[in-house]
Amino acid sequence: MYIHSALLGLLIAFSPVAVSAQTASANKVAGTWRMISAQIDPEGRNLPAYGQRPNGLLVFTPDMHFVEVLTDADTPRFASSVRGEGTDAENRQAMARSIGFFGTYTVDENGEFSGNRVEGATFPNWIGGTRTRDELTLTVVGDRMTEHFQRPEGTRIMIEWERVK
């Protein structure tokens, strides 16, 4: 009886569910994050990346998917209530003041973010792109996360996030 119980305990401890739970608990970025500030530094200038009232969410799921939507809360509404009927100026402004994308991500053995792959985006050039720690770092300290991203041409972006509870 004792051997049967011990074997059962070992099987449960090393089951895929247990391993998954152990991995998820080590994942420091998993959860929902709200953007609290965003700065862009083109050519040495430090400017608000998404206006004076940046608004965005970043969600990292335990099954290693992510969704990120970043907007400027002060983007003017379109004159038309029909999404496809914006003027050129309205569409340009909306595109310049927001981005949405999703895909998969990885963490290292310490549960720290190690990269992502974009599967879909409002900016089509990002689709299929992979970012490593060379371009994108996420540092979690308690319920705060700092993102440092460098665009291919060298522009740096820093975003501060707060974990949603």
Side-chain angles (χ1 to χ4, degrees), residues 31-34 57 141-144 162-165:
T32 302
W33 300 85
R34 179 171 303 284
L57 284 179
V141 177
D143 287 333
R144 293 291 179 116
E162 184 173 55
R163 190 181 299 273
V164 175
K165 294 181 183 182

Side-chain angles (χ1 to χ4, degrees), residues 33 35 55-59 67-71 98-101 161:
W33 300 85
M35 181 169 53
N55 190 24
L57 284 179
L58 172 55
V59 178
V67 177
E68 186 168 354
V69 178
L70 308 175
T71 66
S98 65
I99 184 80
F101 54 105
W161 302 91

Side-chain angles (χ1 to χ4, degrees), residues 22-30 33 60 64 105-116 131-133 136-142 145-146 163:
Q22 290 169 356
T23 303
S25 67
N27 184 341
K28 294 178 181 176
V29 298
W33 300 85
F60 290 106
M64 309 310 284
Y105 74 101
T106 57
V107 295
D108 64 16
E109 63 279 355
N110 298 317
E112 295 175 359
F113 178 86
S114 58
N116 69 16
R131 294 184 185 98
T132 67
R133 286 187 179 133
L136 176 63
T137 60
L138 298 173
T139 305
V140 177
V141 177
M145 180 168 65
T146 304
R163 190 181 299 273

Side-chain angles (χ1 to χ4, degrees), residues 53-161:
R53 293 188 318 131
N55 190 24
L57 284 179
L58 172 55
V59 178
F60 290 106
T61 65
D63 66 350
M64 309 310 284
H65 289 87
F66 77 93
V67 177
E68 186 168 354
V69 178
L70 308 175
T71 66
D72 177 343
D74 294 322
T75 301
R77 297 174 69 85
F78 286 21
S80 172
S81 293
V82 179
R83 186 174 175 268
E85 293 182 7
T87 66
D88 285 347
E90 289 170 330
N91 286 321
R92 284 177 189 275
Q93 194 167 53
M95 182 70 174
R97 293 178 162 196
S98 65
I99 184 80
F101 54 105
F102 63 90
T104 57
Y105 74 101
T106 57
V107 295
D108 64 16
E109 63 279 355
N110 298 317
E112 295 175 359
F113 178 86
S114 58
N116 69 16
R117 183 173 195 296
V118 177
E119 296 175 356
T122 57
F123 181 55
N125 297 24
W126 282 9
I127 299 171
T130 300
R131 294 184 185 98
T132 67
R133 286 187 179 133
D134 292 337
E135 302 88 19
L136 176 63
T137 60
L138 298 173
T139 305
V140 177
V141 177
D143 287 333
R144 293 291 179 116
M145 180 168 65
T146 304
E147 173 180 342
H148 290 275
F149 174 61
Q150 184 165 335
R151 292 180 178 165
E153 86 286 354
T155 300
R156 294 186 180 123
I157 299 169
M158 183 182 83
I159 301 177
E160 293 287 331
W161 302 91

